[in-house]
Amino acid sequence: MKKNIILIGFMGVGKGTTARAFAKKYGVYNIDTDDLIESKENKLVKKIFEKKGEAYFRQCEQDTADWIEKCVTGTLISCGGGFYKVDNIDKLGTVVLLDASFEWIHNRLKTAKNAKSKLAKRPLFSDEKKAKSLYKEREKAYRKVADIIVSMENKKLDEVISEIAKKCKV
Ligand code: S3P
């Protein structure tokens, strides 16, 4: 894999899970923008939001995108739900949108084994109504920056990763 694959999509759609399964099956390295920011800031995303505010976190995302553009190739990169807004997303690799309805995502998070922690670590999902309006606000924008769209609904994880590999010619 020469070019990076950039996985974007709404919180809880399954970017991390998909990335880990893809990395294992195709023997590639996978990094996650939230993990990169947490290690650089030495703070959980939730704490960055609480202590420094959302604008600071968005700047961390832009700095991460700049670093990826300069330094990273041949890597699978899963991104936080708001990362699609960085101004150089088109220069980072093939942008793959993992797509699903809000209801599907909400159900996935609610019924997960570790549902409590999945919801707790996502400050923007603490209020369902607000999360839904954020989803509506972003729906079109995600499609605009995506090179490839892969639906998550009614599919096994293995089917999702095969579809990504095929469409990205891995
Ligand atoms: C955010 C999504 C989160 C994380 C932060 C903000 C967003 O990542 O980056 O809480 O703006 O949608 P996940 O998509 O991995 O939950």
Side-chain angles (χ1 to χ4, degrees), residues 9-12 15 34 45 49 57-58 61 79-82 121-124 134 138 142:
F10 201 68
M11 291 176 271
K15 290 163 291 184
D34 281 348
V45 167
F49 267 75
F57 178 75
R58 299 301 173 200
E61 291 192 308
C79 303
K121 73 173 190 184
R122 296 185 160 98
L124 297 177
L134 189 63
R138 287 179 177 174
Y142 281 138

Side-chain angles (χ1 to χ4, degrees), residues 31-156:
I31 57 178
D32 178 275
T33 60
D34 281 348
D35 291 348
L36 290 166
I37 292 168
E38 287 187 343
S39 71
K40 185 157 179 288
E41 293 293 311
N42 193 19
K43 248 187 216 77
L44 296 174
V45 167
K46 188 172 180 272
K47 289 279 170 213
I48 302 174
F49 267 75
E50 277 168 24
K51 298 220 151 96
K52 303 211 163 174
E54 183 171 347
Y56 181 87
F57 178 75
R58 299 301 173 200
Q59 185 56 50
C60 292
E61 291 192 308
Q62 184 60 57
D63 295 345
T64 306
D66 295 343
W67 172 75
I68 292 169
E69 186 182 347
K70 270 198 219 122
C71 306
V72 184
T73 51
T75 300
L76 178 64
I77 302 169
S78 51
C79 303
F83 192 83
Y84 74 98
K85 282 190 189 159
V86 298
D87 60 20
N88 51 346
I89 188 92
D90 57 319
K91 299 200 177 75
L92 306 184
T94 304
V95 179
V96 177
L97 169 64
L98 297 186
D99 190 39
S101 66
F102 182 80
E103 289 64 33
W104 186 91
I105 293 170
H106 192 228
N107 190 52
R108 177 179 181 270
L109 286 178
K110 266 194 324 201
T111 56
K113 260 193 230 143
N114 47 348
K116 251 194 171 171
S117 83
K118 276 194 181 292
L119 286 166
K121 73 173 190 184
R122 296 185 160 98
L124 297 177
F125 221 113
S126 57
D127 177 329
E128 189 189 325
K129 267 197 185 153
K130 277 193 191 153
K132 185 159 189 178
S133 77
L134 189 63
Y135 178 94
K136 287 224 160 119
E137 201 183 298
R138 287 179 177 174
E139 227 177 344
K140 279 193 192 140
Y142 281 138
R143 284 179 161 62
K144 231 179 170 178
V145 299
D147 297 308
I148 289 163
I149 299 175
V150 175
S151 169
M152 297 293 282
E153 294 190 34
N154 306 316
K155 270 184 207 155
K156 293 201 178 100

